[in-house]
Amino acid sequence: MSQKLLLNATEVHIILHRLACQLIENHSDFQHTVLIGLQPRGKYLAHRLTQLLQKDYGVHAIRLGFLDITFFRDDFRRSGKPLEANKTQIDFLVENQKVVFIDDVLFTGRSINAALTAIQSFGRPSEVELLTLIDRRFSRHLPIQPDYRGRQVDAINDEVVKVCWQEKEGEDAVYLVTQP
């Protein structure tokens, strides 16, 4: 197994600030916008963006939630290993709100498809957008594209994009991992 560094901590930091600024441009005071981190890996990006928006840009009216999509996926019964569900934490309605889904890597689009189904339990959004740190643009199974992307990565199928977060792995970095 080999891995190639795609983004170091400084580059991740710069991208996070750019994404935060793009969100501010489109959502201003976030009065009618909610941020939803997709479990498990999107919660780190969502939490980090929320911190930046609050501390560095003075946006304090942010509603942040986390959505577990495990049992909404169309392939959840196809895996031989037992599934580990995460906790959904949404303490607000999304009815008539702009929802921004946040995930670390956009790969096939199946997670986003599941999230679109799962979010209906919390109301009908007026609009849904997608923010992703890494867009694996040539791997899509469904016609889903991000509205906000940190970086596009062209990876072939046996390559894995691994996003590391300081909070979980002890570093902010993105690697391209090649399986033998």
Side-chain angles (χ1 to χ4, degrees):
M1 178 171 80
S2 66
Q3 65 182 23
K4 173 185 169 188
L5 180 67
L6 295 178
L7 297 173
N8 63 31
T10 302
E11 293 166 321
V12 169
H13 181 76
I14 291 167
I15 287 171
L16 292 178
H17 277 275
R18 179 172 47 80
L19 291 170
C21 288
Q22 289 174 346
L23 285 172
I24 292 169
E25 285 176 14
N26 291 335
H27 298 281
S28 188
D29 61 1
F30 289 78
Q31 190 173 17
H32 301 288
T33 302
V34 298
L35 304 181
I36 304 289
L38 301 185
Q39 295 276 27
R41 307 281 309 171
K43 73 178 183 178
Y44 299 106
L45 177 56
H47 185 64
R48 190 74 70 81
L49 282 170
T50 301
Q51 286 180 323
L52 279 176
L53 289 166
Q54 291 173 337
K55 292 179 182 173
D56 292 9
Y57 298 101
V59 181
H60 296 290
I62 297 175
R63 289 172 287 166
L64 173 64
F66 304 107
L67 182 63
D68 177 45
I69 58 167
T70 303
F71 299 110
F72 291 92
R73 292 184 58 93
D74 62 358
D75 59 354
F76 85 92
R77 287 191 175 100
R78 296 176 188 225
S79 177
K81 61 182 182 179
L83 294 174
E84 291 184 34
N86 295 284
K87 188 175 183 182
T88 292
Q89 297 172 302
I90 300 176
D91 60 357
F92 47 82
L93 292 176
V94 300
E95 189 74 30
N96 295 320
Q97 299 293 303
K98 294 178 183 176
V99 171
V100 180
F101 285 141
I102 299 174
D103 207 1
D104 61 346
V105 178
L106 176 58
F107 184 30
T108 63
R110 293 189 183 280
S111 293
I112 306 309
N113 188 47
L116 289 167
T117 303
I119 199 67
Q120 298 297 316
S121 300
F122 298 91
R124 184 177 184 268
S126 64
E127 184 178 319
V128 177
E129 295 178 337
L130 174 59
L131 180 148
T132 185
L133 182 65
I134 302 295
D135 176 12
R136 288 187 58 162
R137 64 182 173 158
F138 295 128
S139 304
R140 221 69 85 235
H141 294 180
L142 299 169
I144 293 173
Q145 301 300 322
D147 298 284
Y148 312 92
R149 75 172 53 89
R151 175 149 178 210
Q152 284 184 328
V153 173
D154 299 334
I156 56 178
N157 287 336
D158 64 341
E159 295 176 320
V160 175
V161 176
K162 179 182 175 189
V163 177
C164 299
W165 295 106
Q166 180 70 39
E167 299 90 311
K168 176 113 172 112
E169 290 88 8
E171 69 171 332
D172 287 337
V174 178
Y175 295 96
L176 184 62
V177 179
T178 305
Q179 306 291 342

